[in-house]
Amino acid sequence: MRSVLAVLTLLCLTGCAVGPNYKRPTIQSPAQYRQPVPVTEPVSKDSLADLSWTNLFGDEVVTDLVRK
């Protein structure tokens, strides 16, 4: 029983192995990661948490269903 389990474990582990001829592809990474374009308008400080949960969806049908 242990030998069968050991063989199955080895087979599973070898299925995950990467071959010896694997070469990592080159990736062009951006020079900047955050806000590459200068922000021209003020950033809104509004938060989703500041909204009333009954008006969150912005749909009258859903808002009426929530009120009911």
Side-chain angles (χ1 to χ4, degrees):
M1 179 68 179
R2 283 187 175 182
S3 61
V4 173
L5 183 61
V7 169
L8 287 175
T9 303
L10 287 174
L11 284 174
C12 289
L13 290 176
T14 57
C16 297
V18 177
N21 57 354
Y22 174 76
K23 293 182 182 177
R24 176 179 267 178
T26 58
I27 298 174
Q28 297 294 330
S29 59
Q32 293 180 336
Y33 291 102
R34 295 182 184 220
Q35 295 182 349
V37 178
V39 178
T40 57
E41 57 189 47
V43 177
S44 175
K45 300 290 183 184
D46 295 339
S47 173
L48 185 63
D50 294 334
L51 294 176
S52 171
W53 69 276
T54 56
N55 298 328
L56 180 64
F57 301 105
D59 184 14
E60 290 299 321
V61 176
V62 175
T63 303
D64 289 339
L65 288 173
V66 169
R67 286 183 186 145
K68 288 179 184 177

